[in-house]
Amino acid sequence: MSSLPTPSMLRGLRKRVSDRGGDHIDGAGATDAGTSRCSSRDAEREDMETPQACGGARRGQRALVRSTSASSAISQLSLLSNPNLSLLDSDVKIVEGSKDYPVIIVVVGASGDLAHKKTLPALFSLYYHDMLPHQFAVVGYARSKLDREKFHDVVRSHLVCRITDRDTCERKTAAFLDRCFYFSGQYHDREDWRKFHEWLTEEIEWPMIHKQQQRLIGANGDGGGGGGDVQTERVPGRLFYLAIPPSVFADTLGGISSEAMAPESRGAWTRVIVEKPFGRDTESYEALRDVVSSCFTEDAVYRIDHYVGKPLVANLTTLRLGNFVFDVLWNRHCVESVQVVFKEDFGAEGRAGYFDSYGIVRDIMQNHLLQMMSIVAMDPPASPMAADINEAKVKLLRDMRPLRAKDFVIGQYDRYRAEQGVPPGSTTPTFAACVVQIDNERWRGVPFVMSAGKALDEKKVYVKVTFRETPNHSFVPEELQDRRNSIYIEIQPRPAVELSFISKVPGLTGRVVPTKLDLVYNESFVEEARDMPDAYERLILDAIVGDRTLFISDEQISRAWSIFDPALKEMESAPPMQPALYAYGSPGPILPETLIKKFLAGKMSSS
Ligand code: NDP
Ligand code: BG6
C-alpha cells in the first residue's frame, strides 16, 4: 500500500488510543476497558479448551453482555445484517450508504480453484465498478507457502476487465493488487489463527484505522485508501469466505471463532460465507450445522448457492409475482408441467475425486435446481424481504413429497470411470432426472421435472413452464393440437424469457405456425448485458452490506435434505442402483419431456 504509516507512527497512534482507556479515539465513542481486544481475548481463553469445535457463540454472547455499555454508541459504527433490505432495494443505493464502513475480506483457501476462478475475480470486478467500501483489503489464507508477490501473480492471472480500455484495466488491476495480501497458515492450527489475527490487526487493520485518523485530524488526507464522509473511526468488519473443502470447515470455523474474530466490542462485525455442499445428507448436515452454530450466530452465516445470484434467477421472482398475467396462471388449473434443467457439455475432469463422493444429485439437484424450483413454485411471500421469502420457500419445501429411488432415472457418461480419482466400479450418477410432486392446493398433480447432467450435448440451464391444452380446438390446426403455450426462461448461456404461442401467418392463407414473444437480455438490455455482474459479485456484495435476501437459511437446507435423503439412501444402499451409460456429448439417458409424458400417462410409480 502506497501510504502505509511507519511503525513508529502506529506505535504513537496505539499509545494515544490506549492512553484514552480503549480503542475508540473519537470524542463520541464510548470506551469500555473491559471490551478492549487484549483483555477480552485473555478472558476468553478458557473457552478454547472446551471439547467443542469452538465456543464462539457463547463467547459472542458474553462479549455482547460485556459491551452493553458501549453498544449504543458503537451501534452507529457497524453495518450489521439488515433484515429490512428487500429484493427491491437497489444494490447501488445500498452500496452508496455502506461505503464508509471498512471491510477486510479473508478468502480462506485462496490457493484453490473456486478462489481463483470466482471469488477473487468477483472481488476485483466489484472494486472495478466502485462497489466496494472505500477502505477494503483482500487477504488470502491457505496452507500453500506463497509470498505476497507470488500471490499477486496468481491473482493477476485470473482477473478480467469486462469492458474497458487497456490503460484503465492495468491501473485498476495494480490498485486492486495493492490491497491484496496473503497469509500462510494451517486450517486446524489455532496458533496459526492467533498469529493471523495479530498480523491482520497490525498490518492491515491498524493502517486502515490510521488513515481514518489522519482524515479525522485533517492531517495528510486520505492517501488513496480512504474516502467518503467519515465522522468517526470504524474498525473494519471481517468477511471470511470459506473456499475450502468441507472436510476442513469445522477446524477453520473453530480457528476463526476462537482466534480471529473482528473486535465486536468496537463495533466491528464478523461474517462467514459458506459454500455448498452443505453436508452430504441430513446427518452430516446437522453435524456441520452444530459446528457452525457453536461458532457463529445464524445472522453471521451466509450460505451461498450461487445460482440464486444469477441475473435470470434473481428475476424469476419479479417476473412471476410482479406481472398479473403470469401470477393468475401460476397454478395446477393452468400449468401442466414444469421443467428445471441443467446441462453441462463437460464432465467431471479435474474434480472427479470430489465429484465421485457426491454425484450429480448432491452437486446440482439438491441445491441449485431445488433453489430455482422453490422460486418458481413458492406461494407469493408476504413481502420481498429476506424473512418472508425464506418463509415462503420453507413452506414450499415442506409441501414437497420426499423423493424415492423409483422417482429417478440416473445415468453415467461412458468415460467417467476412466477419470482420474474415480474408482473402477463407481456407480456415482453424472446424470439424474426425477419428478417432484408438491402436495399443496396450488400444485397438486403437476409434475416438476428436475434434470441435471454432465458431459451432455450442450451447456444450458433453463426453466420451462408448460401450460395446459387449450380447451377450444376449433382455432388450432390438427397438426398443432399437441402444442402447448409455454414460458421458457433460459438462465444461461443466453439469458432470455420466451412465451410461445401459435399465430396465423399474415396473408390470404389460413396457415397457422408456432411462434414466440421473447425478451433476450443481450438485445433488450444492451448496455447492461455487456457488463452483467457474475452471481458471485452480487452475493459477495450482499454479504458485505448485510443483505441476506439471496442466502440460504438453515431451515431450507434441512428441508432440502429431507426431500432427497430417502432416494439417496435407496440408490446407494447395497446393491446400489445402476446408472444407465450414455455417450459423452449425447443428450443423456432420458429427456425431461419423456419423463413428463411417462408421469402423465401414469407410467411412473411415484403417485
Ligand atoms: P480446492 O480443492 O481447489 O481446495 C481449495 C483449497 O483448499 C486448496 O487450494 C488447498 O489449499 C486446500 N485444500 C484442498 N484439499 C484439502 C484437504 N484435503 N485438506 C486441507 N486443505 C485442502 O476446492 P475448490 O476451490 O474447488 O472448492 C472450495 C469449496 O467451494 C468446496 O467446498 C467446493 O465444493 C465449493 N465449490 C466449488 C466450486 C468450484 O467451481 N470450484 C463451485 C461451487 C462450490 P492449501 O493446500 O494451499 O491450503
Ligand atoms: C457448482 C458445481 O456448484 O456449479 C459444478 O459444483 C458445476 O459441478 C457448477 O459445474 C456450475 O456453475 P455455473 O455457474 O458454471 O453454471
Side-chain angles (χ1 to χ4, degrees):
M1 299 201 349
S2 50
S3 59
L4 284 179
T6 62
S8 67
M9 286 162 76
L10 285 175
R11 273 195 298 277
L13 175 64
R14 257 167 262 161
K15 182 163 185 329
R16 280 211 311 282
V17 172
S18 61
D19 286 350
R20 293 169 70 162
D23 289 338
H24 290 291
I25 48 181
D26 60 289
T31 58
D32 176 348
T35 64
S36 75
R37 178 174 59 83
C38 294
S39 57
S40 68
R41 283 170 57 77
D42 288 342
E44 286 153 6
R45 291 231 159 247
E46 64 195 80
D47 282 332
M48 287 166 51
E49 309 305 328
T50 61
Q52 282 176 299
C54 46
R58 271 196 296 137
R59 195 160 47 254
Q61 284 158 13
R62 272 206 274 139
L64 213 60
V65 174
R66 270 204 306 274
S67 66
T68 316
S69 62
S71 63
S72 56
I74 62 176
S75 64
Q76 300 297 316
L77 302 181
S78 61
L79 188 70
L80 298 171
S81 282
N82 188 345
N84 298 320
L85 293 176
S86 89
L87 275 181
L88 297 180
D89 286 311
S90 114
D91 279 353
V92 175
K93 205 175 85 198
I94 300 165
V95 165
E96 277 314 314
S98 69
K99 279 194 175 159
D100 292 331
Y101 295 87
V103 67
I104 298 171
I105 302 123
V106 184
V107 182
V108 185
S111 56
D113 185 67
L114 178 71
H116 292 167
K117 286 198 199 138
K118 299 287 188 182
T119 321
L120 292 161
L123 285 165
F124 173 61
S125 184
L126 288 172
Y127 169 69
Y128 190 91
H129 290 89
D130 196 22
M131 300 295 270
L132 289 179
H134 298 297
Q135 282 197 308
F136 77 91
V138 175
V139 179
Y141 183 107
R143 298 172 307 178
S144 301
K145 301 267 178 244
L146 300 177
D147 58 20
R148 193 172 169 208
E149 212 173 303
K150 282 211 189 85
F151 181 58
H152 280 188
D153 290 345
V154 180
V155 177
R156 189 187 288 108
S157 68
H158 288 90
L159 301 185
V160 180
C161 301
R162 279 196 296 266
I163 44 164
T164 190
D165 57 283
R166 182 192 268 212
D167 282 354
T168 315
C169 184
E170 280 174 5
R171 188 170 43 79
K172 291 258 189 182
T173 304
F176 178 73
L177 290 174
D178 212 30
R179 317 266 192 113
C180 289
F181 302 82
Y182 184 80
F183 187 95
S184 169
Q186 300 288 328
Y187 304 111
H188 68 276
D189 191 337
R190 299 267 164 116
E191 184 56 17
D192 280 2
W193 284 108
R194 190 189 60 73
K195 286 185 194 147
F196 172 72
H197 174 81
E198 273 176 21
W199 171 84
L200 196 71
T201 309
E202 294 274 318
E203 302 293 328
I204 316 288
E205 211 166 79
W206 272 109
M208 282 178 158
I209 294 173
H210 175 76
K211 277 186 187 165
Q212 296 175 27
Q213 174 67 5
Q214 281 182 314
R215 289 169 50 77
L216 287 172
I217 59 179
N220 210 16
D222 163 48
D229 181 25
V230 180
Q231 303 294 323
T232 55
E233 277 193 14
R234 285 165 182 163
V235 179
R238 293 185 190 175
L239 177 64
F240 289 87
Y241 192 115
L242 302 198
I244 41 173
S247 55
V248 286
F249 272 13
D251 281 341
T252 304
L253 291 168
I256 295 169
S257 75
S258 76
E259 300 297 335
M261 301 287 274
E264 184 182 302
S265 57
R266 285 150 63 202
W269 51 257
T270 304
R271 292 179 193 142
V272 281
I273 295 184
V274 187
E275 270 284 351
K276 66 159 269 277
F278 309 111
R280 55 188 319 286
D281 53 21
T282 299
E283 210 181 340
S284 54
Y285 173 64
E286 284 176 355
L288 176 65
R289 183 180 62 188
D290 290 348
V291 172
V292 174
S293 63
S294 70
C295 301
F296 295 95
T297 52
E298 174 69 7
D299 74 345
V301 182
Y302 288 67
R303 297 177 197 84
I304 272 197
D305 182 317
H306 75 281
Y307 263 67
V308 180
K310 289 191 183 262
L312 251 283
V313 179
N315 188 24
L316 276 174
T317 325
T318 310
L319 188 76
R320 58 161 286 216
L321 298 170
N323 292 296
F324 182 74
V325 283
F326 296 139
D327 190 33
V328 293
L329 298 175
W330 228 253
N331 55 60
R332 70 192 155 92
H333 303 293
C334 306
V335 173
E336 184 178 86
S337 66
V338 179
Q339 300 174 31
V340 187
V341 178
F342 170 99
K343 298 176 81 178
E344 250 174 10
D345 57 0
F346 52 89
E349 301 92 335
R351 304 178 67 213
Y354 151 80
F355 188 84
D356 197 68
S357 58
Y358 283 85
I360 198 81
V361 178
R362 293 185 178 92
D363 189 46
I364 302 292
M365 276 189 165
Q366 186 268 358
N367 34 73
H368 301 331
L369 295 198
L370 191 64
Q371 279 298 324
M372 285 197 277
M373 185 178 150
S374 305
I375 299 170
V376 170
M378 67 186 175
D379 281 339
S383 82
M385 291 190 186
D388 290 326
I389 292 177
N390 178 53
E391 198 179 311
K393 280 189 184 175
V394 169
K395 180 186 172 302
L396 178 87
L397 295 171
R398 257 194 230 118
D399 291 342
M400 279 185 198
R401 206 178 286 183
L403 289 160
R404 307 290 305 270
K406 61 185 166 58
D407 301 322
F408 278 84
V409 173
I410 59 171
Q412 189 184 76
Y413 63 86
D414 47 7
R415 293 189 224 155
Y416 178 70
R417 290 180 195 176
E419 304 280 11
Q420 201 182 352
V422 176
S426 169
T427 52
T428 299
T430 58
F431 174 96
C434 67
V435 179
V436 182
Q437 294 192 69
I438 303 174
D439 286 324
N440 66 16
E441 273 314 289
R442 183 183 288 271
W443 296 119
R444 188 163 293 114
V446 177
F448 280 72
V449 165
M450 284 193 202
S451 172
K454 288 192 174 273
L456 297 181
D457 54 341
E458 58 182 345
K459 183 167 165 49
K460 194 173 271 188
V461 180
Y462 62 87
V463 173
K464 185 174 176 187
V465 178
T466 303
F467 294 97
R468 291 193 182 278
E469 190 177 355
T470 179
N472 186 350
H473 276 177
S474 336
F475 296 90
V476 187
E478 207 175 323
E479 68 277 13
L480 291 180
Q481 283 179 6
D482 269 356
R483 291 194 74 86
R484 303 279 187 271
N485 295 121
S486 65
I487 297 174
Y488 169 84
I489 302 153
E490 186 164 319
I491 312 298
Q492 61 191 35
R494 187 200 61 137
V497 182
E498 294 175 1
L499 172 63
S500 73
F501 55 97
I502 58 167
S503 181
K504 185 182 159 312
V505 177
L508 300 180
T509 72
R511 198 154 67 92
V512 174
V513 291
T515 179
K516 63 188 179 198
L517 279 174
D518 59 17
L519 166 71
V520 180
Y521 271 37
N522 290 353
E523 292 162 12
S524 298
F525 305 117
V526 180
E527 278 302 306
E528 294 82 356
R530 281 175 59 214
D531 193 18
M532 199 115 77
D534 181 75
Y536 280 94
E537 291 172 40
R538 162 136 212 192
L539 293 169
I540 293 173
L541 189 61
D542 284 356
I544 291 172
V545 303
D547 181 353
R548 301 176 59 78
T549 321
L550 297 181
F551 292 86
I552 315 301
S553 71
D554 163 52
E555 211 177 348
Q556 285 179 45
I557 299 173
S558 296
R559 297 302 319 166
W561 281 124
S562 58
I563 293 166
F564 282 91
D565 262 357
L568 287 167
K569 280 208 175 76
E570 284 173 5
M571 283 193 242
E572 290 168 358
S573 57
M577 190 166 161
Q578 291 299 318
L581 284 190
Y582 61 94
Y584 195 112
S586 71
I590 192 164
L591 296 177
E593 291 76 11
T594 314
L595 202 57
I596 290 170
K597 274 192 191 134
K598 270 180 83 174
F599 176 87
L600 293 177
K603 291 192 180 146
M604 285 199 65
S605 45
S606 71
S607 45

